[in-house]
Amino acid sequence: MLSPGKAVKVTIYLSEGSTRHGVPVYTSILDFLFYRGVAGATVTKGIAGFGADHHMHSANLIDLADHLPVKIEFIESREKVDSLLNKLQAMAGTGLIEMQETNIAKPARTTKDLEKEQPEHLKIEGHAQLMRIYLNEEDRWNGKPLYKALVEAMRSNDLAGVTVYKGFLGYGSHHQLHGDESIFSLHHGSIMLSTVDTAEKLRAFLPIVDQMVQEGLVTFSDVDIIKYAHRSPDVQQDIQSEAESDKAE
Amino acid sequence: MKEQFSGCMVRVHFGEEDRWQGIPLYEAIVAKCKELGIAEAIVFRGIEGFGSASRIRRSSLWSFSKDAPIQVSIIDSEEQIARLLPFLDSIVDEGLVATSRVEGILYRPNEHPTKS
């Protein structure tokens, strides 16, 4: 398993048509990397190129189309690469092998690993706060309904969750300024957003609310979180694939 | 304009059929809130619930019952809420009134409101 930090990227340039023991060289190299436990490898096919023998290979020339360039890339630790290199040199035949230092920002993960790990924002328990935002259904922000924009902003900021409620009667801050309308002419589009998260997360989100909400009311109250359960990623995938198969039917 | 305050939230739960002097109870409550100049009042209609009389209130397309559960949320300073509570006490026959403390931020448009 690769870890973030220094690693080596190996690129092997081959011709698609070159074979070894009767199979294309790139497939035997790929098998070799697979069985030696390399973290991952990718084979890409070029559309034109030339190699050491200076023959131009291009997809346009039908007679040479099976000699198109093929590139195998993989990333591994220095030790692992050193242990593979002799064998790779023998396998690559006329091909070229290039190595470069690289940095891994994020290693690839299996879905099983992801199941075990919970994203930071999904771990909340005990004391928390409930933030309610009251606004008008007609309020807009950057051309979209404000409540929708707020939900998107909350999701981008990893708040634990939000629910939008629509009131069928009510009045808010701006009716206080000119309160002469009859009650029946009041807007019927009162919206309340309710979101629960830690006090720090909600306070950190507040400047965004300041910026987006021109008129309205925001309240905070203390709550205790009893349970915050969520589906694991693979369950979501199952549901998606079920939905897709439903569509197919 | 932004105004921070420490206040109180009242939630009144009752049924959509409940009336006061011929008008729906929620309208009477919102009208009173407005009269008192309370900052925020909003009425929600629940899709299912039960109340103090222990009957299931449900608003569905299949039933003719219109007695859906209603919740009115009212927010303002404690003094303002204290002015409202006696009124709620007098008009809510069957239902629940719950109060909780809240920290609030009120956003108001500057002098000329953009909306009519």
Side-chain angles (χ1 to χ4, degrees):
Chain A
M1 177 60 66
L2 284 173
S3 48
K6 287 236 182 296
V8 178
K9 178 156 121 183
V10 182
T11 312
I12 306 165
Y13 297 87
L14 300 165
S15 168
E16 192 184 7
S18 55
T19 56
R20 184 173 179 273
H21 303 318
V23 291
V25 172
Y26 72 88
T27 55
S28 53
I29 291 183
L30 199 62
D31 286 344
F32 168 71
L33 296 175
F34 181 82
Y35 290 114
R36 292 293 288 267
V38 166
T42 308
V43 181
T44 44
K45 185 174 170 180
I47 57 164
F50 63 89
D53 52 4
H54 265 245
H55 282 298
M56 186 66 85
H57 303 297
S58 156
N60 298 327
L61 300 168
I62 294 156
D63 54 336
L64 291 173
D66 64 330
H67 294 298
L68 287 175
V70 167
K71 189 170 81 170
I72 305 173
E73 275 182 331
F74 69 94
I75 296 169
E76 258 302 348
S77 63
R78 167 67 69 181
E79 302 76 53
K80 185 94 181 176
V81 169
D82 288 343
S83 73
L84 299 171
L85 205 53
N86 281 339
K87 180 83 177 175
L88 281 177
Q89 281 165 343
M91 291 176 91
T94 58
L96 176 138
I97 301 181
E98 176 216 0
M99 281 166 49
Q100 55 186 352
E101 290 274 329
T102 186
N103 275 307
I104 295 177
K106 178 200 165 292
R109 286 284 157 86
T110 63
T111 40
K112 272 185 190 163
D113 291 334
L114 277 184
E115 255 172 63
K116 286 176 209 151
E117 278 176 29
Q118 285 190 5
E120 197 53 41
H121 70 276
L122 294 180
K123 287 181 216 154
I124 49 169
E125 49 191 23
H127 292 301
Q129 280 207 314
L130 169 63
M131 176 170 73
R132 294 188 185 93
I133 303 176
Y134 296 84
L135 37 90
N136 237 320
E137 196 173 6
E138 300 86 54
D139 289 344
R140 297 182 83 76
W141 191 81
N142 277 1
K144 62 176 90 169
L146 178 57
Y147 65 88
K148 264 193 188 161
L150 277 167
V151 170
E152 286 164 14
M154 286 171 182
R155 183 190 266 180
S156 314
N157 283 277
D158 283 340
L159 292 192
V162 58
T163 307
V164 181
Y165 297 91
K166 184 181 188 316
F168 66 99
L169 184 68
Y171 68 90
S173 55
H174 64 288
H175 286 281
Q176 209 178 17
L177 291 179
H178 42 104
D180 52 353
E181 302 103 316
S182 104
I183 179 154
F184 299 105
S185 72
L186 295 181
H187 61 101
H188 284 221
S190 302
I191 294 281
M192 180 186 79
L193 286 84
S194 165
T195 181
V196 176
D197 210 312
T198 57
E200 301 79 58
K201 289 271 284 293
L202 292 178
R203 297 284 163 188
F205 185 72
L206 206 49
I208 300 168
V209 175
D210 273 356
Q211 202 189 331
M212 293 172 76
V213 178
Q214 298 307 312
E215 53 182 318
L217 175 70
V218 180
T219 65
F220 291 91
S221 37
D222 294 328
V223 291
D224 289 323
I225 291 175
I226 309 299
K227 184 179 179 183
Y228 181 46
H230 50 88
R231 287 196 191 102
S232 61
D234 76 326
V235 177
Q236 281 170 346
Q237 276 169 6
D238 287 350
I239 289 168
Q240 270 170 9
S241 56
E242 267 170 36
E244 274 157 23
S245 63
D246 285 351
K247 258 186 237 164
E249 280 161 20
Chain B
M1 199 182 80
K2 189 179 157 184
E3 186 186 309
Q4 276 189 285
F5 67 96
S6 188
C8 195
M9 175 181 209
V10 186
R11 271 167 288 188
V12 192
H13 298 256
F14 51 91
E16 192 167 7
E17 292 284 80
D18 294 343
R19 286 177 176 265
W20 181 72
Q21 295 182 354
I23 61 165
L25 190 54
Y26 54 82
E27 278 185 15
I29 294 175
V30 173
K32 183 69 179 178
C33 290
K34 198 159 165 52
E35 185 194 314
L36 292 173
I38 278 174
E40 178 80 39
I42 182 166
V43 185
F44 299 106
R45 184 187 282 120
I47 56 170
E48 190 167 335
F50 66 89
S52 52
S54 293
R55 64 172 186 268
I56 298 279
R57 292 189 173 118
R58 184 182 290 160
S59 111
S60 90
L61 287 174
W62 324 117
S63 78
F64 289 100
S65 160
K66 276 184 68 198
D67 201 15
I70 293 287
Q71 186 211 313
V72 188
S73 286
I74 301 154
I75 298 165
D76 210 319
S77 64
E78 275 186 56
E79 301 80 64
Q80 280 284 78
I81 296 298
R83 289 172 63 202
L84 177 73
L85 285 178
F87 173 78
L88 291 179
D89 203 33
S90 68
I91 75 165
V92 178
D93 281 335
E94 184 188 358
L96 175 77
V97 179
T99 61
S100 49
R101 296 198 44 77
V102 290
E103 296 298 315
I105 302 170
L106 188 61
Y107 295 90
R108 276 183 199 161
N110 295 326
E111 286 310 297
H112 44 83
T114 49
K115 268 185 271 315
S116 59

